[in-house]
Amino acid sequence: MSCRRGALIVLEGVDRAGKTTQCQKLVHALQQSGRAAEMMRFPDRTTKIGQLISSYLEKKSNLEDHTVHLLFSANRWEMVPLMKQKLEQGIDLVVDRYAFSGVAFTSAKPDFSLEWCMNPDIGLPKPDLVMFLQLNPNMAANRGEFGIERYETSAFQRTVHQRFEELMQDSSVNWKVIDAARTIEEVHKDIKLLSEDIISLAQNQPVGELWR
Ligand code: ADP
Ligand code: 2DT
């Protein structure tokens, strides 16, 4: 590697925990401190696969449950060459949702095991850090009503939260739980510190492979 690589940093959490807000603030803060940082999000609705997913989420089309799970995974795999290229160029990637959302959401449906759901994402670039923004459903409800997209019901989100808890038992992933019930600035301060630490650590190590 000719230069020190960037870090792969993922934010996960329940709906309205503040993932998008915090990703944007982190990218901005890293850029202010002179680093090259960029935000990505999954699903990436701009690609052809992403458009199929978007139409499904907007309930404009129906897709069989296994099929849509594999499309979400394919939507990550199609970005892998670009992600690797950016990391190698020393760019930090701050990612709003990743394979963990993929597994948590599909396995919240009846008859889907965590194991089956994890399989298609095995070997993806492994995040150096995954921050889970923890927020109880009542607090999340205070931040606005659910929209009309698929999955936006409190019963489904409760099951999703349980699946995230199960995924967080896996010590091969560098999980950090962040109390997202505080102010935007307080949450940001923690996220920034954890990110700066991991950026220093990651730069001398190769990018890992998720769940392998
Ligand atoms: P997510 O991406 O996790 O769904 P968003 O970042 O879109 O969450 O935030 C959802 C809503 O909650 C937005 O209106 C946002 O301004 C607000 N919000 C985000 N973080 C906080 C916070 N710490 N305290 C209060 N409101 C917040
Ligand atoms: P937002 O675009 O508002 O984050 O909502 N999802 C996401 C899955 O079911 N599988 C996945 O792999 C990913 C990344 C979470 C996107 C919705 O899609 C769900 C909410």
Side-chain angles (χ1 to χ4, degrees), residues 5-11 26 30 35 38-40 42 79-80 83-84 86-88 90-100 123-131 174 195 198-199 202-203 205-210:
R5 76 160 171 98
L8 180 56
I9 297 169
V10 170
L11 268 77
L26 178 60
L30 293 174
R35 296 208 47 101
E38 292 181 17
M39 180 169 165
M40 295 183 78
F42 291 109
M79 301 310 286
V80 167
M83 290 172 76
K84 287 189 169 165
K86 286 184 185 287
L87 292 172
E88 275 162 25
I91 299 170
D92 301 315
L93 295 179
V94 176
V95 187
D96 188 344
R97 295 192 189 275
Y98 199 51
F100 314 99
L124 279 178
K126 181 177 175 172
D128 298 296
L129 172 64
V130 188
M131 288 175 278
N174 183 20
S195 301
I198 208 66
I199 285 168
Q203 61 188 0
Q205 293 167 6
V207 181
E209 294 183 322
L210 181 63

Side-chain angles (χ1 to χ4, degrees), residues 72-88:
F72 273 111
S73 177
N75 183 233
R76 285 182 280 279
W77 280 107
E78 67 178 332
M79 301 310 286
V80 167
L82 185 66
M83 290 172 76
K84 287 189 169 165
Q85 192 190 336
K86 286 184 185 287
L87 292 172
E88 275 162 25

